[in-house]
Amino acid sequence: MNVRFTRCLRLLALALIPAAAVRVCGAADDPVVVSSRPLHEGRISPMLFGNFIELLDDLVPGMRAEMLNDRGFEGVVPAARWVYYDGAPTFCDRVWEPSADWSIEHAGGFTGPNCARISPRGGAPARLAQAGLAVQKGATYRFSAYLRGEPGARVRALLKTRRPDGDFDELAVLELGVPSSRWARVEGLLAASGTSDLAVFELRVAGDGTVWADQISLQPAENADGWRLDVVEAIKASRPALIRWGGSVVDPGAYRWKAGVGDRDLRVPFANVNWGRIDSNDVGIAEFCRFCELTAARPLVCVSFSDGPTSAADLVEYCNGSKETTWGARRAADGHAAPFHVKYWQLGNELSGDDDTYVKKCRDFIASMKAVDPSIAILSSFPSQKVVEVLGKDLSHLAPHHYTRDLAACEADFRKLATMIASTPERGRLRLAVTEWNFTGGDWGLGRGKMLTLEGALWNAQYLNLMCRYANIVEIGCRSNMINSYCSGIIATTASGLIKRPSYHVMKLYAEHARPIPTHVGKAPSGVDLLACVDDQRAHLTLFAVNLRREPVTLALEPAAADDAWTPIRAESVRDVADMRQPDVMNHAQAPDRVKTTPLKPRGSTIALPALSVTAVECARR
């Protein structure tokens, strides 16, 4: 058979294949067809790559610029449940060092009932100290506290570091003088003369009098309105288009948003009944909304169902009302003149949608909240047929939570809920918002530790592929959780820095490379999960490939129609750079970039997927 005749037969075969299709070959006998024909009428929303913040152990404290724990002396209580895989305590385990020099006085604190009583004895200075800090040479740290004292007492604040022989070197000293006999705020700057990750803060009292201290604070002078600069930078770079605030502390729980506004030194700490610990209440709705502004993310606020519809309406007014309104004026007085413009609101956390009381009470919430701002979008808690039938026309989203490795079960839930919505009259334009998702939530054994690993990141990528395939019904996704959080955070923070988990790099990869229109994909090579999406002009296509194999897989792109050929132009892959092909590999202090995003170079029309990797292949139409 001559070459010309062979070429004619090949062109004829290509003409019989549907237009806008590309063949991707994992192996010669395992071809995959990727089409630029839309999968459905839906669009991949950037909000699918969102995240979740809740008041859980060291999640929020690990994001804050505040360097001291238990600054109000309410006590350090253990978490209700915890996971200490490496034996290291969390920020919330840090205590004021026990000493005969000081004690907790259980009445007469500046804000809460407790404060520290510091009393020199025998002419020697008394010390109140907290270790576990890290400081940088040349950096400045802002100290503040509320003090009162007896005549004859002199106070100074210090930063020091422990030497190998056990003694200390002073890194910075701030003279505070003689305190007032009444509670008064004192503040000043400490400029570190050296670098140490074994730094200690000390409040030293000399002289003859006793000093009482409360609401002690130490922060880097350079911070982002109380948030750590490195955390803000890393989260902004990961591009979470939406961040949810809420979780189990909201319902059921003792959290009340009105107790968390205004001057943080005047807020009363509260017991976190679900997760344990004493929450300082330093972070409330205003701080959360400000963090969203800093990271260019939309806020999604979960309101407390137990706090009632009136409180929820007041919260909407605090966030969205003009400064001429009652709660808008309170927001302005708190330092935020412009509204936060919070669009998305969820009615309670993980409450049953089959409960008649829930459905009935939701009507009151919706009426009260929309009377304040008719433009807001309101999400249910757990979805049900009753919620769709009774509330569907007033809701924007139903909000399931997925905590399982069973992707087939997640897909079945999407199908079931889509059918439920489609079969219910007057449903409005309901969509799904998976406001919490991961492959485990309640596992407190080794299974929870998997969230730290490359294997966990691979599962996250498969779930992202699933949500994108169902983008006609799923519009919002909030991965659980953002920071620390018993292994679930995409970032881990320490006093001296942060570590980006493998899941961080996966979330960032999808947020950066996803295109709005999901397209058809045929059968993938064994052990590979594929998602294709194109832009509105059909000029560029992204192929996400999750390789679950312990060996590389080569994908070869072939034109399936003469007028629709795609050329790989660049690719990035989240992988183990050591290529040890171990799914349990993770990033840690000694190897913070063991799993990271690296560029891949396409070879003509082929791309080699590394073992155990998540790859985004960007293609241009020829």
Side-chain angles (χ1 to χ4, degrees):
M1 189 178 292
N2 65 45
V3 174
R4 183 176 181 181
F5 185 66
T6 302
R7 184 175 299 166
C8 290
L9 284 179
R10 180 173 177 79
L11 290 175
L12 177 61
L14 289 176
L16 296 176
I17 298 174
V22 170
R23 176 166 293 176
V24 183
C25 299
D29 58 348
D30 196 13
V32 176
V33 173
V34 178
S35 172
S36 59
R37 179 168 57 89
L39 192 60
H40 44 60
E41 78 285 358
R43 294 173 65 84
I44 295 173
S45 168
M47 293 188 296
L48 287 179
F49 315 120
N51 217 296
F52 173 40
I53 296 176
E54 62 178 318
L55 297 174
L56 184 162
D57 197 59
D58 61 337
L59 195 169
V60 170
M63 302 170 67
R64 295 291 285 172
E66 180 58 63
M67 299 166 67
L68 300 177
N69 188 38
D70 191 26
R71 63 190 199 89
F73 302 94
E74 303 305 323
V76 175
V77 300
R81 307 186 79 166
W82 59 85
V83 180
Y84 292 140
Y85 281 102
D86 59 2
T90 74
F91 177 92
C92 296
D93 290 307
R94 193 184 300 164
V95 298
W96 295 101
E97 294 183 347
S99 168
D101 290 351
W102 73 278
S103 62
I104 291 180
E105 191 160 293
H106 295 286
F110 173 70
T111 299
N114 297 345
C115 61
R117 176 190 174 105
I118 312 166
S119 302
R121 299 182 182 183
R127 295 173 172 84
L128 171 70
Q130 187 171 134
L133 286 64
V135 297
Q136 292 287 326
K137 182 179 180 178
T140 302
Y141 300 88
R142 184 174 299 280
F143 162 82
S144 67
Y146 281 85
L147 303 178
R148 67 180 180 90
E150 297 175 338
R154 299 185 307 277
V155 185
R156 60 171 52 176
L158 302 93
L159 284 172
K160 58 186 185 178
T161 184
R162 194 184 302 273
R163 297 199 306 254
D165 63 5
D167 206 350
F168 293 92
D169 290 325
E170 292 183 357
L171 299 176
V173 178
L174 174 65
E175 297 289 347
L176 298 172
V178 178
S180 168
S181 60
R182 296 186 177 184
W183 286 112
R185 192 174 191 270
V186 296
E187 61 181 335
L189 297 176
L190 290 153
S193 62
T195 296
S196 174
D197 58 2
L198 297 172
V200 177
F201 168 80
E202 180 182 295
L203 196 66
R204 186 178 297 176
V205 177
D208 299 327
T210 293
V211 169
W212 289 263
D214 200 358
Q215 297 299 323
I216 302 177
S217 172
L218 186 70
Q219 299 185 36
E222 292 188 12
N223 64 70
D225 290 342
W227 297 99
R228 285 175 51 158
L229 290 175
D230 57 348
V231 168
V232 169
E233 179 183 355
I235 295 301
K236 185 175 183 179
S238 72
R239 298 169 62 177
L242 179 141
I243 301 173
R244 178 183 184 243
W245 169 258
S248 297
V249 74
V250 169
D251 280 310
Y255 179 76
R256 295 294 180 260
W257 75 268
K258 290 178 181 177
V261 298
D263 185 342
R264 69 178 186 137
D265 287 335
L266 301 180
R267 302 178 192 175
V268 178
F270 66 94
N272 190 324
V273 297
N274 294 290
W275 296 112
R277 305 294 194 190
I278 302 295
D279 194 289
S280 67
N281 221 0
D282 280 359
V283 173
I285 189 66
E287 288 80 12
F288 164 71
C289 289
R290 179 59 181 145
F291 181 79
C292 290
E293 289 178 342
L294 292 167
T295 55
R298 286 184 169 187
L300 187 165
V301 176
C302 184
V303 300
S304 171
F305 215 63
S306 58
D307 202 17
T310 300
S311 177
D314 291 344
L315 179 54
V316 174
E317 186 172 276
Y318 182 89
C319 292
N320 295 356
S322 72
K323 59 184 180 181
E324 283 72 34
T325 63
T326 300
W327 285 101
R330 176 60 188 271
R331 181 198 65 245
D334 292 341
H336 307 278
F340 292 122
H341 300 296
V342 178
K343 178 178 180 179
Y344 296 100
W345 300 82
Q346 185 170 6
L347 302 180
N349 179 72
E350 295 186 349
L351 301 177
S352 172
D354 283 326
D355 189 301
D356 285 333
T357 303
Y358 175 77
V359 173
K360 183 178 183 299
K361 199 171 178 181
C362 276
R363 288 175 161 174
D364 297 332
F365 272 83
I366 293 169
S368 298
M369 294 168 70
K370 288 202 169 184
V372 174
D373 185 350
S375 71
I376 62 176
I378 297 181
L379 293 65
S380 76
S381 189
F382 282 164
S384 71
Q385 183 69 46
K386 187 173 298 183
V387 165
V388 176
E389 291 175 353
V390 178
L391 306 171
K393 64 181 182 300
D394 299 314
L395 296 173
S396 64
H397 298 76
L398 305 178
H401 288 176
H402 285 165
Y403 284 108
T404 176
R405 283 181 171 271
D406 191 344
L407 288 164
C410 297
E411 182 172 14
D413 194 39
F414 289 156
R415 289 179 177 272
K416 180 191 75 173
L417 293 172
T419 300
M420 181 188 300
I421 292 170
S423 62
T424 305
E426 297 183 4
R427 62 188 180 278
R429 190 188 175 275
L430 270 177
R431 291 293 181 265
L432 300 183
V434 189
T435 52
E436 293 182 33
W437 68 264
N438 213 317
F439 60 82
T440 183
D443 190 341
W444 298 97
L446 290 175
R448 192 168 186 91
K450 289 281 188 180
M451 288 189 283
L452 301 173
T453 67
L454 176 58
E455 180 183 353
L458 296 177
W459 186 93
N460 286 173
Q462 292 178 86
Y463 189 80
L464 292 172
N465 280 355
L466 178 63
M467 286 198 294
C468 289
R469 292 187 195 108
Y470 282 84
N472 60 324
I473 186 69
V474 186
E475 190 174 38
I476 290 172
C478 302
R479 187 194 176 278
S480 176
N481 247 314
M482 182 171 282
I483 309 288
N484 301 326
S485 311
Y486 308 141
C487 308
S488 69
I490 63 173
I491 286 176
T493 59
T494 66
S496 57
L498 59 79
I499 295 171
K500 298 171 183 176
R501 300 297 190 191
S503 54
Y504 171 90
H505 297 288
V506 164
M507 296 298 293
K508 184 173 185 287
L509 187 80
Y510 276 77
E512 288 183 338
H513 293 282
R515 302 186 187 277
I517 303 172
T519 62
H520 284 274
V521 180
K523 182 180 178 182
S526 175
V528 177
D529 186 56
L530 296 175
L531 168 76
C533 47
V534 297
D535 58 13
D536 287 311
Q537 293 75 34
R538 309 295 198 274
H540 295 89
L541 178 144
T542 298
L543 182 68
F544 290 103
V546 185
N547 182 14
L548 304 172
R549 295 184 187 179
R550 297 196 187 203
E551 65 274 347
V553 174
T554 298
L555 301 182
L557 277 66
E558 295 181 356
D563 62 346
D564 187 28
W566 296 94
T567 300
I569 54 176
R570 67 174 181 143
E572 289 188 319
S573 186
V574 178
R575 64 187 184 92
D576 174 14
V577 295
D579 196 25
M580 298 304 291
R581 305 185 185 182
Q582 295 175 312
D584 289 334
V585 69
M586 62 185 74
N587 294 339
H588 52 84
Q590 285 69 45
D593 296 317
R594 174 71 180 271
V595 177
K596 66 178 183 178
T597 305
T598 62
L600 295 181
K601 185 176 181 180
R603 294 182 178 272
S605 61
T606 66
I607 186 76
L609 307 177
L612 299 172
S613 66
V614 184
T615 303
V617 185
E618 292 201 357
C619 306
R621 185 186 292 277
R622 293 183 206 164

